[in-house]
Amino acid sequence: MNLGPIDHVQAQWQTARPELDTRSIAVFGRIDRLSKLAQAEGKKLLESLGTSPWEYEVLVTLRRAAPDFELAPRQLSEALLVSAGALTNRLDHLERAQLVERHPDPTDRRALRVRLTPRGRARADELVDAYLRRERALLDGLNARERRSLEGLLRKLLMTVEPVVTA
Amino acid sequence: MNLGPIDHVQAQWQTARPELDTRSIAVFGRIDRLSKLAQAEGKKLLESLGTSPWEYEVLVTLRRAAPDFELAPRQLSEALLVSAGALTNRLDHLERAQLVERHPDPTDRRALRVRLTPRGRARADELVDAYLRRERALLDGLNARERRSLEGLLRKLLMTVEPVVTA
DNA sequence: CAAGATTGATGGTTCAATCTTC
DNA sequence: GAAGATTGAACCATCAATCTTG
């Protein structure tokens, strides 16, 4: 049994506060750490390709909104779990870089439609290829059965967590 | 089969770029989303208790460093995956609130020892109790067997990811 | 009065530069 | 010269306030 940083955390609690039930740390501590490590690694990759995580997220979210590559800012902020103000800022940058365009919504004059430009689409395609290749490499340690099992358990956990936060 | 937001992402890619291998998203997309949702929920809880995630992290990391409740800033920044500058900032706040104290390291005059005050220790105990109670509630949807299985798979995945990033 | 988007203030992080000590 | 800690600039986030339109 190879001991990782989270096992160490649990062992420390066992000494410091033996009565504490730290079983949840074995799950959420690892999820948190995996997320941070994968993000740090993804950031390095994206920066080597001349972009950043926040730019990448917007581009690929629009890219998979085929066939028209359009979404409202509101939809983007909900999908990415960031505030509306953050999105305005990201769109300003992306529009200056001519990767997206803001168009008025024909049915609601309060709203916008954010659309990927051809350049933005090409950029998104290039980036997502590299990004997914890297993610697959990080999954190398698991075989197909383990990966599917992990996937199913995460889906089930997410089903519990999602409504709690949305509520 | 209940469809969640990540299943939706994969379905979108299936339409937009059918040739793309998106299996890694089923794992990392969910880990990322779980982390963000759990963090948002944790932030709300901590703010209702008069504190913040970054303050909480430092306090509990020192708390479980029993028996002396001491760590060097460098150890803290590595454990929490934040920069040394961020830590200086956090410690300034916590020291003003009299929850930690900075002491000179007796063996190395460059270094510091950060120590929890009695007030800081009591605060950490109070916070970790509430925090772990909330985490356990989020795990309610999984039975004991599923939780242990998830735990093992996450540990194995972390063993692959950890060295890649550290390198 | 509610909803979509923007703006400005504030907050915390990273990163590079600096200072001291090993 | 390298390592520990601090500082300040730049960056991007949230949040509350604002403006327009439904």
Side-chain angles (χ1 to χ4, degrees), chain B residues 50-60 90 93-94 99 123:
Chain B
T51 186
S52 58
W54 58 266
E55 206 173 283
Y56 172 74
E57 287 175 357
V58 175
L59 289 178
V60 297
R90 294 186 184 191
H93 282 266
L94 288 167
L99 297 169
R123 188 90 177 110

Side-chain angles (χ1 to χ4, degrees), chain A residues 2-5 30 33-34 37-38 41 133-143 146-147 150, chain B residues 27-28 31 152-167:
Chain A
N2 222 321
L3 248 54
R30 285 192 175 87
R33 190 166 176 95
L34 275 167
L37 292 175
E41 192 58 12
R133 195 178 318 124
R134 181 200 67 95
E135 273 193 354
R136 282 193 295 273
L138 292 181
L139 274 175
D140 254 3
L142 302 184
N143 62 39
E146 292 170 327
R147 186 181 43 69
L150 176 55
Chain B
V27 172
F28 284 109
I31 286 176
L153 291 166
L154 289 172
R155 180 188 292 109
K156 189 162 186 180
L157 179 56
L158 199 46
M159 276 175 49
T160 308
V161 174
E162 195 96 40
V164 174
V165 181
T166 315

Side-chain angles (χ1 to χ4, degrees), chain A residues 16-56:
Chain A
R17 302 237 352 233
E19 84 287 8
L20 220 54
D21 176 359
T22 64
R23 288 172 303 173
S24 64
I25 295 179
V27 172
F28 283 110
R30 285 192 175 87
I31 286 177
D32 190 52
R33 190 166 176 95
L34 275 167
S35 170
K36 284 192 174 122
L37 292 175
Q39 256 173 33
E41 192 58 12
K43 182 178 179 178
K44 276 190 230 164
L45 171 71
L46 292 170
E47 280 171 357
S48 79
L49 298 172
T51 187
S52 59
W54 58 266
E55 208 173 282
Y56 172 74

Side-chain angles (χ1 to χ4, degrees), chain B residues 28-133:
Chain B
F28 284 109
R30 285 192 176 86
I31 286 176
D32 191 52
R33 190 168 176 93
L34 274 166
S35 170
K36 284 193 173 122
L37 292 176
Q39 256 173 34
E41 192 59 12
K43 183 177 178 178
K44 275 191 233 163
L45 170 71
L46 292 170
E47 279 171 357
S48 79
L49 298 173
T51 186
S52 58
W54 58 266
E55 206 173 283
Y56 172 74
E57 287 175 357
V58 175
L59 289 178
V60 297
T61 304
L62 288 168
R63 175 59 184 88
R64 67 175 186 261
D68 46 1
F69 314 111
E70 269 192 15
L71 285 175
R74 178 78 180 157
Q75 293 176 294
L76 280 167
S77 76
E78 279 174 11
L80 302 177
L81 299 176
V82 299
S83 67
L87 213 20
T88 298
N89 192 31
R90 294 186 184 191
L91 293 179
D92 286 345
H93 282 266
L94 288 167
E95 199 167 33
R96 265 196 291 279
Q98 304 191 343
L99 297 169
V100 308
E101 286 169 351
R102 280 188 254 225
H103 296 279
D105 185 310
T107 71
D108 184 340
R109 282 199 289 173
R110 293 172 303 182
L112 285 179
R113 305 294 299 174
V114 180
R115 189 186 310 154
L116 223 46
T117 65
R119 237 183 115 233
R121 176 183 168 173
R123 188 90 177 110
D125 278 332
E126 169 197 351
L127 293 176
V128 74
D129 287 337
Y131 199 85
L132 291 185
R133 195 178 317 127

Side-chain angles (χ1 to χ4, degrees), chain A residues 61 64-66 71, chain B residues 7-17:
Chain A
T61 304
R64 67 174 186 262
L71 285 175
Chain B
D7 296 298
H8 182 59
V9 168
Q10 286 192 294
Q12 283 186 304
W13 280 123
Q14 182 58 32
T15 301
R17 301 230 3 226

Side-chain angles (χ1 to χ4, degrees), chain A residues 50-102:
Chain A
T51 187
S52 59
W54 58 266
E55 208 173 282
Y56 172 74
E57 287 175 357
V58 175
L59 290 178
V60 298
T61 304
L62 288 169
R63 175 60 184 87
R64 67 174 186 262
D68 46 1
F69 314 111
E70 271 191 15
L71 285 175
R74 178 78 180 155
Q75 293 177 293
L76 280 167
S77 76
E78 279 173 11
L80 303 177
L81 299 176
V82 299
S83 67
L87 216 5
T88 298
N89 192 30
R90 294 185 184 192
L91 293 179
D92 287 345
H93 282 266
L94 288 168
E95 200 167 33
R96 266 195 290 279
Q98 304 191 341
L99 297 169
V100 307
E101 287 168 349
R102 281 188 252 223

